């Protein structure tokens, strides 16, 4: 059994500042950890303080490293669902041909990450979610900043959640931009930031000048999503991009989404006049009801 | 009653070459018609041969013109669902403020066009679909070009239709790009061509070089969609963009989608090696079954 209760937490570090935040959190708790950064994904400063840097698709190297460290727990922190050219270049050297990579990737983000987790578990490792190690990082229910959403804003949020619910059986993004009853954009493999930039372009096309249409970014984990990987996340940059896209608020699934750098995220929302709401998506509500009934 | 049985067909002409194609078709049938082109949408050559050019949102001018012509039938041909800056500039002069326009547009394409049709009908006009006037323009069932889709291709098409089905309650685009089980892009207000350019960018990001991943563009009318306006359409350019996006086929809803310039569309698909398929979407299938049962 490679997992040992007295072993370190291993952070498999993808993009963004979440790996750094988690590392700092574990440090503050005095918990032993190792940082394994994915080449082409992890930020430069995360790579700089990493104990090892590996290629995302080099499962042999990852496993060998894990067997040395004997982790109590492994967690995936940060985005890895948009392999960059650099990451794939690395991976190409390990496979017979590009077709193999294409086959893996064509099956979608969900399958890719689910596959990685089940390989790790199949090898006896214990995999946990970032939210289990750092509970305060998930969005709580309610209005998180100073700006209150209006009744109309709440209707927009509801449309967004319903779109995400309809899409949950499919391997597609976790976010949607809605204005009124109109769906402005649905996230694909490009990620939330790029989707918001597209929304910006659409809005400009409609309104000539700087967009100022009301609307919301709605982001949430899918129904039944394994929160140990690819947990929806927002941060200060998300709020800035939402503002640029002409939206006046951000709603995220409470309890199942991460807010990276929460103080700064709220400060940015307050400064730009956007509401920031943690809400229970409809599919989550019924789950809570079921639990209450049981 | 403004509609007269011996009156002309009035073509309300939006973008693309469909209005021209319909006008030529009616001409070849010896049917009297009038061409009312929307400023900012109709192509230059359509505007040049139009009997009148109006602003899309200038309902008073449109109605006045229609009362003069006393049409037997009115039909909407060509895209109007992405108001250009020019069109909106025109409209702004007719409304008290931008907010009013924003309110109309925020309700979405469907509502905008449905509203226009019901205003016309409320005034006693008869509105019909392009497919009623030119039956050969809709996609028929089956493989339309020389390239046959494989079993894998058919699985991809099926994912595409299921995504569109899930989204049908919402005001969002009619097309989706799918590769394997992964949804590469869902059309928003930007339209199919721009969605495909985005797919291209996503594919390039994944594969470094010219994309060559298999995948399909799937486009179909929504369940219960009123086919008198905003009928899904493809043409030669759509096939070219799908090819550039790294897709190897196009599937459209048979009977409820238009193929503009069908000979050239098939020729382009054959030349580029893409399959072109007219398929009955799952929600349409059950409808056909219901009818058969009745």
């Amino acid at each position: 059994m490679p997992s040992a209760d007295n072993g370190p937490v291993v952070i498999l570090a993808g993009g963004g500042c979440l790996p750094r935040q988690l590392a700092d959190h574990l440090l503050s708790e005095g918990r032993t950890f190792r940082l394994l950064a994915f080449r082409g994904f992890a930020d430069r400063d995360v790579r700089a303080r990493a104990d090892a840097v590996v290629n995302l698709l080099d499962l042999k190297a990852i496993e060998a490293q894990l067997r040395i460290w004997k982790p109590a727990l492994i967690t995936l922190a940060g985005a890895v669902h948009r392999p960059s050219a650099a990451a794939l270049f690395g991976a190409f050297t390990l496979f017979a041909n590009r077709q193999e990579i294409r086959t893996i990737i064509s099956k979608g983000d969900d399958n890719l990450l689910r596959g990685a987790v089940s390989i790790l578990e199949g090898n006896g490792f214990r995999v946990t979610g970032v939210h289990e190690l750092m509970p305060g990082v998930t969005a709580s229910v309610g209005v998180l900043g100073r700006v209150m959403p209006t009744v109309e804003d709440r209707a927009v949020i509801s449309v967004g959640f319903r779109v995400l619910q309809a899409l949950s059986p499919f391997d597609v993004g976790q976010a949607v931009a809605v204005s009124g009853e109109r769906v402005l954009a649905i996230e694909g493999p490009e990620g939330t930031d790029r989707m918001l930039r597209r929304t910006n372009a659409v809005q400009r096309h409609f309104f000539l000048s700087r967009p100022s249409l009301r609307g919301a970014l709605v982001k949430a984990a899918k129904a039944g999503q394994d929160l140990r990987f690819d947990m929806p996340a927002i941060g200060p940059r998300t709020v800035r991009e939402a503002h640029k896209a002409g939206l006046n608020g951000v709603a995220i699934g409470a309890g199942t989404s991460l807010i990276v750098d929460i103080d700064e995220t709220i400060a940015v929302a307050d400064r730009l006049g956007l509401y920031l709401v943690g809400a229970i998506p409809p599919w989550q509500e019924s789950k809570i009801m079921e639990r209450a009934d049981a």
Side-chain angles (χ1 to χ4, degrees), chain A:
Chain A
M1 188 74 173
S3 273
D5 284 344
N6 57 351
V9 172
V10 171
I11 305 172
L12 301 181
C17 61
L18 188 64
R20 180 172 52 245
Q21 202 182 338
L22 178 59
D24 290 344
H25 176 78
L26 295 176
L27 211 56
S28 76
E29 283 196 326
R31 202 151 173 188
T32 317
F33 68 93
R34 295 285 179 278
L35 200 50
L36 189 68
F38 291 127
R39 185 169 290 129
F41 295 100
D43 285 1
R44 186 194 301 252
D45 69 306
V46 170
R47 290 201 310 274
R49 67 191 271 193
D51 299 284
V53 179
V54 294
N55 287 321
L56 174 64
L57 299 173
D58 188 356
L59 292 176
K60 275 187 188 164
I62 296 168
E63 206 197 317
Q65 188 61 71
L66 292 175
R67 288 196 183 279
I68 294 167
W69 284 336
K70 296 184 177 48
L73 287 169
I74 297 172
T75 193
L76 283 76
V80 292
H81 58 296
R82 286 180 287 141
S84 72
L88 278 170
F89 248 132
F92 281 149
T93 62
L94 304 160
F95 286 83
N97 57 48
R98 290 190 173 200
Q99 196 48 51
E100 204 162 347
I101 307 276
R102 279 179 190 151
T103 305
I104 292 171
I105 288 173
S106 76
K107 290 201 175 148
D109 300 338
D110 285 7
N111 289 309
L112 190 68
L113 291 168
R114 192 165 290 142
V117 167
S118 69
I119 288 170
L120 288 171
E121 290 186 323
N123 280 287
F125 294 106
R126 280 210 300 269
V127 182
T128 192
V130 171
H131 60 300
E132 303 281 357
L133 294 165
M134 190 169 44
V137 80
T138 55
S140 51
V141 178
V143 180
L144 307 178
R146 273 204 300 263
V147 184
M148 292 292 295
T150 64
V151 174
E152 290 76 23
D153 292 330
R154 287 178 188 274
V156 167
I157 294 169
S158 163
V159 171
F161 276 132
R162 286 191 289 120
V163 171
L164 293 177
Q165 186 168 25
L167 286 173
S168 68
F170 306 101
D171 185 35
V172 66
Q174 304 165 318
V176 61
V178 179
S179 176
E181 294 166 29
R182 174 193 279 261
V183 179
L184 296 173
I186 296 173
E187 185 185 322
E190 76 280 9
T192 305
D193 285 355
R194 276 165 199 259
M195 181 202 72
L196 288 171
R197 272 169 241 155
R198 183 164 89 235
T199 309
N200 181 342
V202 166
Q203 300 257 50
R204 272 172 199 274
H205 183 74
F206 279 116
F207 298 112
L208 317 172
S209 59
R210 198 161 174 291
S212 63
L213 192 72
R214 296 175 76 83
L217 167 70
V218 182
K219 189 167 185 177
K222 290 177 187 178
Q225 182 177 326
D226 187 337
L227 295 174
R228 291 177 302 169
F229 51 83
D230 200 27
M231 208 169 165
I234 64 158
R237 196 177 55 195
T238 320
V239 175
R240 267 184 230 112
E241 292 287 348
H243 174 68
K244 273 194 227 158
L247 304 176
N248 70 311
V250 175
I252 56 168
T256 57
S257 307
L258 303 173
I259 303 185
V260 179
D261 201 347
I262 187 157
D263 295 340
E264 177 64 11
T265 304
I266 292 173
V268 169
D270 285 348
R271 196 167 63 240
L272 297 174
L274 274 76
Y275 64 80
L276 182 63
V277 168
I280 308 281
W283 58 93
Q284 211 70 27
E285 257 171 33
S286 58
K287 215 169 192 175
I288 289 166
M289 302 289 256
E290 275 163 32
R291 258 187 239 147
D293 288 348

